[in-house]
Amino acid sequence: MEKSIISEKEGRYLPLVEEFYTIQGEGFNTGKAAWFIRLGGCDVGCSWCDSRFTWNPDLHPLVDTDLIVSNAIGSGTDSVVVTGGEPLTWNLDYLCSELKKKGLKTFIETSGAYPYSGNWDWICLSPKRNMPPVKEICEKADELKVIIQGKNDFEWAESYRKQVNSACRLYLQPEWSRYEKIIPEIVEYVKKNTAWSISLQSHKFMHIP
């Protein structure tokens, strides 16, 4: 039992929800193929979350990380996106090191609410009001993607623009259920604040995972 607990803390086992090969649908890397690894566990609790089935990690079995890596390699991909849930709930150092050994690029989608682990070629930070991101992840982020569901979210997005590094790409993304109502406001905002770009959940338009 003790050995199992230690292995879990070292990231040798992770609560795997699902894994699949698809096209990235959001942000800077939209349109690129990648193997997705979705991990269970999230206590951020966004009201509009479209993957609530991931929240309780106890519903998803701990899987040997070596097997997860083997499946990624077997897919034929050159890029892996680790998402959740909130993937940084877990220690991702071992997962990344094994993927890197095989020459795979590593991307992560995170709220940044938990301490940084892993070795990433691309960090997409999507901060949430419920649990703000830690400073280190703001400084490391390659991409800031803020979900917009109302007018007050624009000011909140600007507050994080000030916290990320100067090379970080900036995206505003409409909350899916409010797309029709909020997209005109996002368009007008980006026209006036050109440092930002618009991210759409293009995978939903394409009807793919």
Side-chain angles (χ1 to χ4, degrees):
M1 176 65 72
E2 183 178 350
K3 182 177 180 181
S4 176
I5 293 173
I6 291 173
S7 294
E8 184 179 340
K9 287 183 177 179
E10 291 177 347
R12 299 298 183 98
Y13 290 88
L14 295 168
L16 180 66
V17 176
E18 58 182 349
E19 50 189 352
F20 52 92
Y21 197 28
T22 190
I23 302 297
Q24 296 187 64
E26 303 177 8
F28 181 79
N29 292 297
T30 292
K32 296 181 180 179
W35 180 256
F36 273 67
I37 297 171
R38 187 183 301 280
L39 301 180
C42 184
D43 56 2
V44 179
C46 300
S47 62
W48 38 260
C49 180
D50 59 3
S51 55
R52 295 188 180 207
F53 58 91
T54 68
W55 286 7
N56 184 353
D58 295 334
L59 298 178
H60 308 288
L62 288 173
V63 175
D64 189 324
T65 304
D66 288 332
L67 177 59
I68 296 174
V69 170
S70 177
N71 290 342
I73 296 166
S75 74
T77 190
D78 64 359
S79 302
V80 172
V81 177
V82 181
T83 185
E86 174 41 64
L88 287 178
T89 304
W90 314 99
N91 183 344
L92 301 178
D93 289 337
Y94 182 74
L95 174 64
C96 278
S97 68
E98 295 304 299
L99 291 170
K100 288 284 191 181
K101 286 178 184 177
K102 301 300 182 179
L104 299 184
K105 291 177 285 187
T106 55
F107 300 176
I108 188 170
E109 299 265 351
T110 178
S111 69
Y114 283 88
Y116 180 86
S117 64
N119 179 9
W120 306 100
D121 294 295
W122 192 267
I123 300 171
C124 176
L125 170 62
S126 185
K128 307 300 189 294
R129 290 180 182 272
N130 310 43
M131 294 178 65
V134 300
K135 181 179 179 181
E136 181 182 10
I137 296 175
C138 289
E139 294 172 345
K140 290 178 177 290
D142 298 287
E143 174 181 348
L144 173 66
K145 185 177 66 186
V146 181
I147 309 303
I148 304 294
Q149 57 180 347
K151 289 184 177 180
N152 60 344
D153 290 326
F154 292 110
E155 184 177 351
W156 189 72
E158 292 292 350
S159 73
Y160 280 98
R161 176 184 174 184
K162 297 174 184 176
Q163 297 181 48
V164 296
N165 67 78
S166 60
C168 185
R169 280 77 165 182
L170 306 173
Y171 289 92
L172 302 176
Q173 179 169 297
E175 195 275 305
W176 180 253
S177 69
R178 293 177 55 79
Y179 175 82
E180 295 293 341
K181 183 173 182 179
I182 201 66
I183 191 63
E185 295 182 31
I186 296 176
V187 168
E188 290 306 309
Y189 190 87
V190 170
K191 285 162 66 177
K192 296 174 183 176
N193 300 272
T194 56
W196 293 94
S197 297
I198 296 175
S199 169
L200 300 177
Q201 291 180 290
S202 65
H203 56 292
K204 292 188 176 181
F205 292 102
M206 292 186 284
H207 305 292
I208 60 174

